[in-house]
Amino acid sequence: MYVNLLKQAFILIFMCCFLTGCANQPETEAEKFIKSARSYISQQKPDEAVIEYKNAIKADPGNGNALFELAETYILLKRVNLAVKYYQLAARAEPGTLTAHLRLGQIYLQKGQLMEARQEAIHALKISPDAIDGLHLLADLQVKEKDIESAIKTLKTASTIDDKNVKTFTGLALLYLKNRQLTKAEEAFQKAIAVDPASRDAYMGLARLYAFQGRNDKIEALLKTVLETPGITSQKHVDLAWFYEGQKNFPLAEEHYLKAIPASDEAVRPLIDLAKYYARREMKDKAVDTMQKALSKHKESVVVLTELSWIYLNFSMVDKAFETVNQALAGNPSDVDALLQKGRVLMARNDVEHALKIFDRVIGQDRLNAKAYYYRAICIETGGATDLSAQEIFRSAAGLADNPAEFEKVQVTDNLLAAAAIDPDFTDARIKLAQIYLSEKNIKKTKEQLEEIFKRRAPNLKTLTLLSGLHILEGNMAQAEKILKTIVEEKPGHIPGKLRLALLYKAMGNKEKAIAYFQAAYDLDPRQLGLIQKITNIYLEDKQYGPALALLDKVSGQFEHQTDANNALSFFENLKAEIYLNKKELDNGVIHLRKAIELQPEYITPRNLLANILAMDKDKSKALEQFRAIEKLNPDFIPALMGIGSISDLRGNTGTAQAYYRKILELDPGHARAANNLAFILSEEKDGLEEGFRLAGLARSRLPNAPDVLDTMGWLYFQKGVYPSARAEFEKSLKLNPESALTCYHYAMTLYRMKEFEEARVYFRKALKIDPDFKGASMAKNLLN
């Protein structure tokens, strides 16, 4: 957080330490404390320095040096709010001091307090109109205000004052890039390089521009030239190695990674870069050996141990990664990079809940850590957030107390937006956002993210696939088809491209081509059984039962002689059952469902289908057996719990039914059917009317046109004695389903209470005619007689 400020603060205080004692005047008491504080800073003891600076301020409350340097020390300690306080006091103590205003402006800018940042920039430029740092601050502010033209003018002014400032020219280049003025951007980068050929920001900025334009020859020439200039030679070799790696010229890439390693230097970063190169090339032994060499130079290095953990995780050596990152954290429990890696390792161990807590801890230490927000989003998406007790409070505050899934969706998006806002070049976060917006069919927001991605990165398979999805959403099928065909032609083994093309052809109604591409994707990876289901579903849409069964016979035959093929064969048997059920051949459907269960007893889908078929018989016992078996396999499988509850309800076991409905509502507070059924049970209990009425209201809001839900609401009004409202609900229900014996009876009871006896008798008779044995038949007969 506030990385540039941290560097600047350390340098400034260090220089103060270096210069201490140069004056010949006798020291005041405040100056003695300041001298002591600077000594602590030089020893990297900022907490002790704070005490001494406060002593200096106590001795001399208006001492500008003490106030300013205390603010700088709070920056080192990442206590930004306290830093702001003392920068403000320093600015008041010495109104002509430029640096305090600049610091405040930078902090306000990073915190998004643009009005305050502008005031500080104005103060700074009033003190010194030609202050380059003040103009840089103003330009950064104008960028935040989306006034790119004014920012360009400001930096042009800065360049006329000081034509040797690299930051001015690199800043101008980046602004020209934002405006798509590529020629001017190139010229600005070249001016920056002319000022300082060793400036990595300048030469890498120009290299990225050339990459965007596809001018690879220019990149190579530039990076080779840079090698001949002063600066950190090892970093320049790494930059050239990156280029060659991107060009898939692996021999030259490895050569330059190796050249980046100085023979006698103790630096480990070049070794880490080489190890990561080997990891990207899937060369496990070389990657691990190289990291071990780095570790031998600095055995307790938190950085090296963290990177070694990354290497282990890259090769799915999760236990080794866990052990190594814990070793890193033993050296420094608060190291942000090590904590991030610990979170990633925990995710790999499927311990999402603890990973989420780690990322929260990182954000607590560094509020501007883009990766922490990104990984936090991934954790929430995979289900980590619902296990945290505090989430219920947050959901309630957000008005989403009864909808945890919606709350988590919002949380995922918000965290990804935070990551992209903190680091606009963090394209992984933007890609994830684009995927979410695409799934929500939000054209505008999908387009915004893709535009930002393409500004920063050349199109690749993932982003082109997303672009094709956007074209589909916009109805531009021809453009989407063109992109996807290009992908599958250039990358014949790219399954997502074939899958997208299949879905496109399905949406266009070209089912033959859709089937062909689904089949091509399946042929590349026969483990993707869901692709066979997609083909089967297309056949079922057109009632082509013969081709569907022939396909299943063909693919199941490929598995019959394989060991451990039961899962696949069971899946195919279940699909065959679905085909026969669509053909209305119930007996054949049941035969294949039983085969599927026999092949894979833990496969829930065929058991659930079979249970629902059996539940249609008058003897519900066999259905209940299947639902119970599913409950043992998965105690939280709501359809099975609903089945048990419904059968228990029909049998008059309302206590058991109520327990199951309540469990369902714990798992899914918005489950309308469970709410409705429980509400009906409660409607017949003396103390259950209020809870029943609330649950019936929930069910009615979710299923406003369900006849049985309207009936439940009506019956609760009846029990409360609100007969006109009851009558209205029953009349709506009977319009939708006039053949419900129970609703006819309830309507008759309401009419009877309203003393409309003749009409009541009509509906008592109708109820008995529909079902002579319905619940309430005895009362209907009594009232008729």
Side-chain angles (χ1 to χ4, degrees), residues 143 148-149 151-152 155-156 168-190 201-215 425 451-457:
V143 171
I148 304 300
E149 288 301 329
I152 289 172
L155 289 182
K156 279 185 173 180
T168 299
F169 290 112
T170 53
L172 262 174
L174 293 171
L175 292 178
Y176 285 134
L177 280 177
K178 279 183 179 289
N179 272 3
R180 302 294 179 92
Q181 295 171 274
L182 303 187
T183 303
K184 287 187 175 182
E186 183 177 2
E187 288 170 0
F189 277 131
Q190 286 170 341
D201 286 343
Y203 71 73
M204 286 305 292
L206 183 55
R208 279 191 288 271
L209 171 59
Y210 289 149
F212 181 78
Q213 296 173 318
R215 297 160 73 184
D425 294 328
E451 284 175 356
E452 291 299 323
I453 292 164
F454 289 134
K455 280 180 192 175
R456 294 166 168 82
R457 176 191 284 189

Short mmCIF file of all heavy atoms in Angstrom, two decimals, residues 143 148-149 151-152 155-156 168-190 201-215 425 451-457:
data_model
loop_
_atom_site.label_atom_id
_atom_site.label_comp_id
_atom_site.label_asym_id
_atom_site.label_seq_id
_atom_site.Cartn_x
_atom_site.Cartn_y
_atom_site.Cartn_z
N VAL A 143 -6.40 12.83 -14.47
CA VAL A 143 -6.68 11.49 -15.02
C VAL A 143 -7.81 10.84 -14.24
O VAL A 143 -8.74 10.26 -14.81
CB VAL A 143 -5.41 10.60 -14.98
CG1 VAL A 143 -5.76 9.16 -15.32
CG2 VAL A 143 -4.36 11.13 -15.95
N ILE A 148 -8.47 13.68 -19.63
CA ILE A 148 -7.17 13.29 -20.18
C ILE A 148 -6.50 14.46 -20.91
O ILE A 148 -5.28 14.65 -20.80
CB ILE A 148 -7.31 12.07 -21.13
CG1 ILE A 148 -7.99 10.90 -20.41
CG2 ILE A 148 -5.96 11.64 -21.67
CD1 ILE A 148 -7.26 10.39 -19.21
N GLU A 149 -7.28 15.25 -21.63
CA GLU A 149 -6.70 16.36 -22.39
C GLU A 149 -6.01 17.36 -21.45
O GLU A 149 -4.91 17.84 -21.74
CB GLU A 149 -7.79 17.07 -23.21
CG GLU A 149 -8.28 16.27 -24.41
CD GLU A 149 -7.18 15.92 -25.40
OE1 GLU A 149 -6.22 16.72 -25.52
OE2 GLU A 149 -7.27 14.86 -26.04
N ALA A 151 -4.83 16.69 -18.48
CA ALA A 151 -3.65 16.03 -17.92
C ALA A 151 -2.48 16.11 -18.89
O ALA A 151 -1.32 16.36 -18.49
CB ALA A 151 -3.97 14.58 -17.59
N ILE A 152 -2.76 15.94 -20.18
CA ILE A 152 -1.70 16.05 -21.20
C ILE A 152 -1.11 17.47 -21.21
O ILE A 152 0.11 17.65 -21.24
CB ILE A 152 -2.25 15.68 -22.60
CG1 ILE A 152 -2.51 14.15 -22.66
CG2 ILE A 152 -1.28 16.10 -23.70
CD1 ILE A 152 -3.22 13.70 -23.92
N LEU A 155 1.20 17.95 -18.19
CA LEU A 155 2.52 17.32 -18.33
C LEU A 155 3.35 18.00 -19.42
O LEU A 155 4.59 18.04 -19.32
CB LEU A 155 2.36 15.83 -18.61
CG LEU A 155 1.85 14.99 -17.43
CD1 LEU A 155 1.78 13.52 -17.80
CD2 LEU A 155 2.74 15.16 -16.19
N LYS A 156 2.70 18.55 -20.43
CA LYS A 156 3.45 19.32 -21.43
C LYS A 156 4.08 20.55 -20.79
O LYS A 156 5.23 20.91 -21.08
CB LYS A 156 2.52 19.75 -22.56
CG LYS A 156 2.27 18.65 -23.61
CD LYS A 156 1.44 19.21 -24.74
CE LYS A 156 1.32 18.22 -25.89
NZ LYS A 156 0.50 18.77 -27.00
N THR A 168 7.89 12.64 -16.38
CA THR A 168 7.01 13.49 -17.19
C THR A 168 6.74 12.85 -18.54
O THR A 168 5.59 12.75 -18.99
CB THR A 168 7.64 14.88 -17.39
OG1 THR A 168 7.83 15.50 -16.12
CG2 THR A 168 6.75 15.77 -18.25
N PHE A 169 7.80 12.38 -19.20
CA PHE A 169 7.63 11.85 -20.55
C PHE A 169 6.94 10.47 -20.55
O PHE A 169 6.12 10.19 -21.43
CB PHE A 169 8.99 11.79 -21.27
CG PHE A 169 9.52 13.15 -21.62
CD1 PHE A 169 10.66 13.67 -20.99
CD2 PHE A 169 8.87 13.95 -22.55
CE1 PHE A 169 11.13 14.93 -21.30
CE2 PHE A 169 9.35 15.22 -22.86
CZ PHE A 169 10.48 15.72 -22.23
N THR A 170 7.27 9.62 -19.58
CA THR A 170 6.56 8.32 -19.52
C THR A 170 5.08 8.55 -19.20
O THR A 170 4.21 7.86 -19.74
CB THR A 170 7.19 7.38 -18.47
OG1 THR A 170 7.26 8.06 -17.21
CG2 THR A 170 8.56 6.93 -18.89
N GLY A 171 4.80 9.53 -18.32
CA GLY A 171 3.40 9.86 -18.01
C GLY A 171 2.66 10.35 -19.24
O GLY A 171 1.52 9.94 -19.51
N LEU A 172 3.32 11.22 -20.01
CA LEU A 172 2.72 11.71 -21.26
C LEU A 172 2.45 10.55 -22.23
O LEU A 172 1.39 10.48 -22.86
CB LEU A 172 3.66 12.71 -21.93
CG LEU A 172 3.38 14.19 -21.70
CD1 LEU A 172 4.49 15.03 -22.31
CD2 LEU A 172 2.03 14.59 -22.27
N ALA A 173 3.41 9.65 -22.34
CA ALA A 173 3.26 8.51 -23.26
C ALA A 173 2.04 7.68 -22.89
O ALA A 173 1.24 7.29 -23.77
CB ALA A 173 4.52 7.64 -23.21
N LEU A 174 1.86 7.42 -21.60
CA LEU A 174 0.72 6.62 -21.15
C LEU A 174 -0.61 7.33 -21.42
O LEU A 174 -1.60 6.69 -21.77
CB LEU A 174 0.86 6.30 -19.66
CG LEU A 174 2.02 5.36 -19.31
CD1 LEU A 174 2.21 5.28 -17.80
CD2 LEU A 174 1.81 3.97 -19.90
N LEU A 175 -0.62 8.66 -21.29
CA LEU A 175 -1.83 9.41 -21.58
C LEU A 175 -2.15 9.38 -23.08
O LEU A 175 -3.31 9.26 -23.49
CB LEU A 175 -1.70 10.85 -21.09
CG LEU A 175 -1.64 11.03 -19.57
CD1 LEU A 175 -1.44 12.49 -19.21
CD2 LEU A 175 -2.91 10.50 -18.91
N TYR A 176 -1.11 9.48 -23.90
CA TYR A 176 -1.34 9.38 -25.35
C TYR A 176 -1.89 8.00 -25.71
O TYR A 176 -2.75 7.88 -26.59
CB TYR A 176 -0.03 9.64 -26.11
CG TYR A 176 0.39 11.10 -26.16
CD1 TYR A 176 1.70 11.48 -25.89
CD2 TYR A 176 -0.53 12.10 -26.50
CE1 TYR A 176 2.09 12.82 -25.94
CE2 TYR A 176 -0.14 13.44 -26.55
CZ TYR A 176 1.17 13.79 -26.25
OH TYR A 176 1.53 15.11 -26.31
N LEU A 177 -1.40 6.98 -25.02
CA LEU A 177 -1.93 5.63 -25.26
C LEU A 177 -3.41 5.56 -24.93
O LEU A 177 -4.20 4.94 -25.65
CB LEU A 177 -1.17 4.60 -24.41
CG LEU A 177 0.19 4.14 -24.93
CD1 LEU A 177 0.84 3.19 -23.94
CD2 LEU A 177 0.04 3.44 -26.28
N LYS A 178 -3.79 6.19 -23.81
CA LYS A 178 -5.22 6.21 -23.43
C LYS A 178 -6.06 6.85 -24.53
O LYS A 178 -7.21 6.45 -24.76
CB LYS A 178 -5.41 6.96 -22.12
CG LYS A 178 -5.12 6.16 -20.86
CD LYS A 178 -5.42 6.97 -19.61
CE LYS A 178 -5.16 6.18 -18.35
NZ LYS A 178 -6.15 5.12 -18.14
N ASN A 179 -5.50 7.86 -25.17
CA ASN A 179 -6.22 8.56 -26.24
C ASN A 179 -6.02 7.90 -27.61
O ASN A 179 -6.45 8.46 -28.63
CB ASN A 179 -5.77 10.02 -26.32
CG ASN A 179 -6.58 10.90 -25.39
OD1 ASN A 179 -7.44 10.41 -24.65
ND2 ASN A 179 -6.33 12.20 -25.42
N ARG A 180 -5.36 6.74 -27.62
CA ARG A 180 -5.06 6.02 -28.87
C ARG A 180 -4.20 6.85 -29.83
O ARG A 180 -4.26 6.66 -31.05
CB ARG A 180 -6.34 5.58 -29.57
CG ARG A 180 -7.28 4.70 -28.75
CD ARG A 180 -6.64 3.35 -28.47
NE ARG A 180 -7.49 2.49 -27.67
CZ ARG A 180 -8.35 1.59 -28.17
NH1 ARG A 180 -8.48 1.48 -29.48
NH2 ARG A 180 -9.06 0.82 -27.37
N GLN A 181 -3.40 7.76 -29.30
CA GLN A 181 -2.46 8.55 -30.12
C GLN A 181 -1.10 7.83 -30.07
O GLN A 181 -0.18 8.23 -29.37
CB GLN A 181 -2.36 9.98 -29.57
CG GLN A 181 -3.66 10.76 -29.67
CD GLN A 181 -3.61 12.09 -28.93
OE1 GLN A 181 -3.86 12.14 -27.73
NE2 GLN A 181 -3.27 13.16 -29.65
N LEU A 182 -1.00 6.76 -30.84
CA LEU A 182 0.13 5.84 -30.72
C LEU A 182 1.45 6.47 -31.17
O LEU A 182 2.50 6.21 -30.57
CB LEU A 182 -0.15 4.55 -31.51
CG LEU A 182 -1.44 3.79 -31.11
CD1 LEU A 182 -1.50 2.46 -31.84
CD2 LEU A 182 -1.51 3.57 -29.61
N THR A 183 1.41 7.29 -32.21
CA THR A 183 2.64 7.92 -32.69
C THR A 183 3.21 8.86 -31.62
O THR A 183 4.42 8.86 -31.34
CB THR A 183 2.38 8.69 -33.99
OG1 THR A 183 1.84 7.79 -34.95
CG2 THR A 183 3.66 9.31 -34.52
N LYS A 184 2.35 9.68 -31.04
CA LYS A 184 2.79 10.60 -29.98
C LYS A 184 3.27 9.83 -28.75
O LYS A 184 4.23 10.25 -28.08
CB LYS A 184 1.65 11.55 -29.60
CG LYS A 184 1.38 12.61 -30.65
CD LYS A 184 0.36 13.63 -30.16
CE LYS A 184 0.19 14.75 -31.19
NZ LYS A 184 -0.77 15.78 -30.72
N ALA A 185 2.61 8.70 -28.45
CA ALA A 185 3.04 7.87 -27.31
C ALA A 185 4.45 7.35 -27.56
O ALA A 185 5.32 7.39 -26.67
CB ALA A 185 2.07 6.71 -27.10
N GLU A 186 4.70 6.88 -28.78
CA GLU A 186 6.04 6.37 -29.14
C GLU A 186 7.09 7.47 -28.98
O GLU A 186 8.17 7.25 -28.41
CB GLU A 186 6.02 5.83 -30.57
CG GLU A 186 7.34 5.22 -30.99
CD GLU A 186 7.29 4.63 -32.39
OE1 GLU A 186 6.23 4.73 -33.05
OE2 GLU A 186 8.32 4.07 -32.83
N GLU A 187 6.77 8.67 -29.46
CA GLU A 187 7.72 9.79 -29.37
C GLU A 187 8.03 10.13 -27.92
O GLU A 187 9.17 10.40 -27.55
CB GLU A 187 7.13 11.01 -30.09
CG GLU A 187 7.10 10.88 -31.61
CD GLU A 187 6.30 12.01 -32.26
OE1 GLU A 187 5.79 12.88 -31.51
OE2 GLU A 187 6.19 12.00 -33.50
N ALA A 188 6.97 10.11 -27.06
CA ALA A 188 7.17 10.45 -25.65
C ALA A 188 8.03 9.41 -24.96
O ALA A 188 8.93 9.75 -24.16
CB ALA A 188 5.82 10.59 -24.95
N PHE A 189 7.79 8.13 -25.26
CA PHE A 189 8.64 7.07 -24.68
C PHE A 189 10.10 7.25 -25.14
O PHE A 189 11.04 7.09 -24.36
CB PHE A 189 8.14 5.69 -25.08
CG PHE A 189 7.01 5.16 -24.24
CD1 PHE A 189 5.86 4.64 -24.82
CD2 PHE A 189 7.10 5.14 -22.84
CE1 PHE A 189 4.82 4.14 -24.05
CE2 PHE A 189 6.07 4.64 -22.06
CZ PHE A 189 4.93 4.14 -22.67
N GLN A 190 10.28 7.57 -26.42
CA GLN A 190 11.63 7.75 -26.95
C GLN A 190 12.35 8.92 -26.27
O GLN A 190 13.55 8.86 -26.00
CB GLN A 190 11.57 7.93 -28.46
CG GLN A 190 11.26 6.63 -29.20
CD GLN A 190 10.96 6.83 -30.67
OE1 GLN A 190 10.63 7.94 -31.10
NE2 GLN A 190 11.05 5.76 -31.45
N ASP A 201 10.86 1.86 -16.76
CA ASP A 201 9.50 2.31 -17.07
C ASP A 201 9.42 2.81 -18.51
O ASP A 201 8.42 2.55 -19.20
CB ASP A 201 9.07 3.43 -16.12
CG ASP A 201 8.75 2.92 -14.72
OD1 ASP A 201 8.54 1.70 -14.57
OD2 ASP A 201 8.71 3.73 -13.79
N ALA A 202 10.45 3.49 -18.94
CA ALA A 202 10.44 4.06 -20.29
C ALA A 202 10.60 2.98 -21.35
O ALA A 202 9.78 2.86 -22.26
CB ALA A 202 11.55 5.11 -20.42
N TYR A 203 11.66 2.17 -21.23
CA TYR A 203 11.90 1.23 -22.32
C TYR A 203 10.89 0.08 -22.34
O TYR A 203 10.50 -0.41 -23.40
CB TYR A 203 13.35 0.74 -22.36
CG TYR A 203 13.83 -0.19 -21.28
CD1 TYR A 203 13.44 -1.52 -21.22
CD2 TYR A 203 14.77 0.25 -20.33
CE1 TYR A 203 13.91 -2.38 -20.24
CE2 TYR A 203 15.25 -0.59 -19.35
CZ TYR A 203 14.81 -1.92 -19.30
OH TYR A 203 15.29 -2.76 -18.34
N MET A 204 10.40 -0.34 -21.15
CA MET A 204 9.39 -1.40 -21.15
C MET A 204 8.03 -0.86 -21.60
O MET A 204 7.24 -1.59 -22.22
CB MET A 204 9.27 -2.03 -19.76
CG MET A 204 10.45 -2.93 -19.41
SD MET A 204 10.75 -4.27 -20.63
CE MET A 204 9.30 -5.28 -20.40
N GLY A 205 7.77 0.41 -21.32
CA GLY A 205 6.54 1.03 -21.83
C GLY A 205 6.53 1.03 -23.35
O GLY A 205 5.52 0.70 -23.99
N LEU A 206 7.68 1.39 -23.94
CA LEU A 206 7.78 1.40 -25.40
C LEU A 206 7.70 -0.02 -25.95
O LEU A 206 7.06 -0.26 -26.99
CB LEU A 206 9.09 2.07 -25.82
CG LEU A 206 9.34 2.23 -27.33
CD1 LEU A 206 8.18 2.98 -28.00
CD2 LEU A 206 10.66 2.94 -27.58
N ALA A 207 8.31 -0.96 -25.25
CA ALA A 207 8.25 -2.37 -25.70
C ALA A 207 6.81 -2.87 -25.71
O ALA A 207 6.38 -3.56 -26.64
CB ALA A 207 9.10 -3.24 -24.77
N ARG A 208 6.03 -2.49 -24.67
CA ARG A 208 4.62 -2.92 -24.63
C ARG A 208 3.83 -2.29 -25.77
O ARG A 208 2.93 -2.92 -26.34
CB ARG A 208 4.01 -2.56 -23.27
CG ARG A 208 4.36 -3.55 -22.18
CD ARG A 208 3.54 -3.31 -20.92
NE ARG A 208 3.95 -2.11 -20.21
CZ ARG A 208 4.90 -2.09 -19.28
NH1 ARG A 208 5.53 -3.21 -18.95
NH2 ARG A 208 5.23 -0.96 -18.68
N LEU A 209 4.15 -1.03 -26.09
CA LEU A 209 3.49 -0.38 -27.23
C LEU A 209 3.78 -1.13 -28.52
O LEU A 209 2.88 -1.41 -29.32
CB LEU A 209 3.95 1.07 -27.34
CG LEU A 209 3.52 1.84 -28.60
CD1 LEU A 209 2.00 1.87 -28.73
CD2 LEU A 209 4.08 3.25 -28.59
N TYR A 210 5.04 -1.48 -28.74
CA TYR A 210 5.41 -2.24 -29.94
C TYR A 210 4.71 -3.61 -29.96
O TYR A 210 4.28 -4.08 -31.02
CB TYR A 210 6.93 -2.42 -30.01
CG TYR A 210 7.71 -1.16 -30.34
CD1 TYR A 210 9.00 -0.96 -29.83
CD2 TYR A 210 7.17 -0.17 -31.15
CE1 TYR A 210 9.74 0.19 -30.13
CE2 TYR A 210 7.89 0.98 -31.45
CZ TYR A 210 9.16 1.16 -30.94
OH TYR A 210 9.87 2.29 -31.24
N ALA A 211 4.60 -4.23 -28.79
CA ALA A 211 3.92 -5.54 -28.71
C ALA A 211 2.47 -5.41 -29.12
O ALA A 211 1.93 -6.25 -29.85
CB ALA A 211 4.02 -6.10 -27.29
N PHE A 212 1.83 -4.33 -28.65
CA PHE A 212 0.43 -4.09 -29.00
C PHE A 212 0.28 -3.91 -30.51
O PHE A 212 -0.71 -4.32 -31.11
CB PHE A 212 -0.08 -2.85 -28.26
CG PHE A 212 -1.52 -2.53 -28.52
CD1 PHE A 212 -2.52 -3.24 -27.88
CD2 PHE A 212 -1.88 -1.51 -29.39
CE1 PHE A 212 -3.86 -2.95 -28.13
CE2 PHE A 212 -3.21 -1.20 -29.63
CZ PHE A 212 -4.21 -1.93 -29.00
N GLN A 213 1.28 -3.30 -31.13
CA GLN A 213 1.25 -3.06 -32.58
C GLN A 213 1.76 -4.26 -33.38
O GLN A 213 1.72 -4.24 -34.61
CB GLN A 213 2.09 -1.83 -32.92
CG GLN A 213 1.55 -0.54 -32.32
CD GLN A 213 2.49 0.63 -32.54
OE1 GLN A 213 3.71 0.50 -32.39
NE2 GLN A 213 1.95 1.79 -32.89
N GLY A 214 2.26 -5.29 -32.68
CA GLY A 214 2.80 -6.46 -33.36
C GLY A 214 4.15 -6.23 -34.01
O GLY A 214 4.54 -6.94 -34.93
N ARG A 215 4.89 -5.22 -33.53
CA ARG A 215 6.21 -4.88 -34.12
C ARG A 215 7.31 -5.56 -33.30
O ARG A 215 8.10 -4.93 -32.59
CB ARG A 215 6.38 -3.35 -34.14
CG ARG A 215 5.34 -2.66 -35.02
CD ARG A 215 5.16 -1.18 -34.67
NE ARG A 215 6.29 -0.37 -35.10
CZ ARG A 215 6.39 0.93 -34.84
NH1 ARG A 215 5.42 1.55 -34.18
NH2 ARG A 215 7.45 1.61 -35.26
N ASP A 425 -4.33 -2.71 -14.60
CA ASP A 425 -3.69 -3.66 -15.53
C ASP A 425 -3.87 -5.11 -15.11
O ASP A 425 -3.33 -6.02 -15.76
CB ASP A 425 -2.19 -3.35 -15.64
CG ASP A 425 -1.95 -2.00 -16.29
OD1 ASP A 425 -2.76 -1.60 -17.14
OD2 ASP A 425 -0.96 -1.33 -15.94
N GLU A 451 -13.00 -3.96 -23.49
CA GLU A 451 -12.26 -2.82 -24.05
C GLU A 451 -11.03 -2.51 -23.22
O GLU A 451 -9.93 -2.26 -23.75
CB GLU A 451 -13.17 -1.59 -24.12
CG GLU A 451 -14.16 -1.64 -25.27
CD GLU A 451 -15.15 -0.47 -25.27
OE1 GLU A 451 -15.10 0.33 -24.31
OE2 GLU A 451 -15.96 -0.38 -26.21
N GLU A 452 -11.19 -2.56 -21.88
CA GLU A 452 -10.05 -2.31 -20.98
C GLU A 452 -8.99 -3.40 -21.13
O GLU A 452 -7.79 -3.14 -21.10
CB GLU A 452 -10.52 -2.21 -19.53
CG GLU A 452 -11.35 -0.97 -19.22
CD GLU A 452 -10.58 0.32 -19.45
OE1 GLU A 452 -9.37 0.36 -19.16
OE2 GLU A 452 -11.19 1.29 -19.94
N ILE A 453 -9.44 -4.64 -21.29
CA ILE A 453 -8.50 -5.76 -21.45
C ILE A 453 -7.70 -5.60 -22.74
O ILE A 453 -6.48 -5.73 -22.76
CB ILE A 453 -9.26 -7.12 -21.44
CG1 ILE A 453 -9.83 -7.40 -20.05
CG2 ILE A 453 -8.32 -8.26 -21.86
CD1 ILE A 453 -10.89 -8.49 -20.03
N PHE A 454 -8.41 -5.28 -23.84
CA PHE A 454 -7.73 -5.19 -25.13
C PHE A 454 -6.81 -3.97 -25.22
O PHE A 454 -5.90 -3.94 -26.05
CB PHE A 454 -8.76 -5.17 -26.28
CG PHE A 454 -9.43 -6.50 -26.48
CD1 PHE A 454 -10.80 -6.59 -26.65
CD2 PHE A 454 -8.70 -7.68 -26.48
CE1 PHE A 454 -11.43 -7.81 -26.82
CE2 PHE A 454 -9.31 -8.92 -26.65
CZ PHE A 454 -10.68 -8.99 -26.83
N LYS A 455 -7.03 -2.96 -24.37
CA LYS A 455 -6.10 -1.83 -24.30
C LYS A 455 -4.75 -2.28 -23.73
O LYS A 455 -3.72 -1.69 -24.01
CB LYS A 455 -6.66 -0.73 -23.38
CG LYS A 455 -7.70 0.16 -24.02
CD LYS A 455 -8.14 1.19 -22.98
CE LYS A 455 -9.38 1.94 -23.43
NZ LYS A 455 -9.86 2.85 -22.36
N ARG A 456 -4.80 -3.31 -22.89
CA ARG A 456 -3.63 -3.68 -22.12
C ARG A 456 -2.98 -4.97 -22.60
O ARG A 456 -1.85 -5.26 -22.24
CB ARG A 456 -4.02 -3.86 -20.64
CG ARG A 456 -4.45 -2.57 -20.00
CD ARG A 456 -5.16 -2.78 -18.67
NE ARG A 456 -5.31 -1.52 -17.96
CZ ARG A 456 -6.27 -0.64 -18.19
NH1 ARG A 456 -7.19 -0.90 -19.12
NH2 ARG A 456 -6.34 0.49 -17.51
N ARG A 457 -3.70 -5.77 -23.34
CA ARG A 457 -3.18 -7.10 -23.68
C ARG A 457 -3.65 -7.48 -25.07
O ARG A 457 -4.81 -7.24 -25.44
CB ARG A 457 -3.71 -8.11 -22.66
CG ARG A 457 -3.32 -9.54 -22.96
CD ARG A 457 -4.09 -10.53 -22.09
NE ARG A 457 -3.59 -10.58 -20.73
CZ ARG A 457 -3.99 -11.49 -19.85
NH1 ARG A 457 -4.89 -12.39 -20.18
NH2 ARG A 457 -3.50 -11.49 -18.62
#
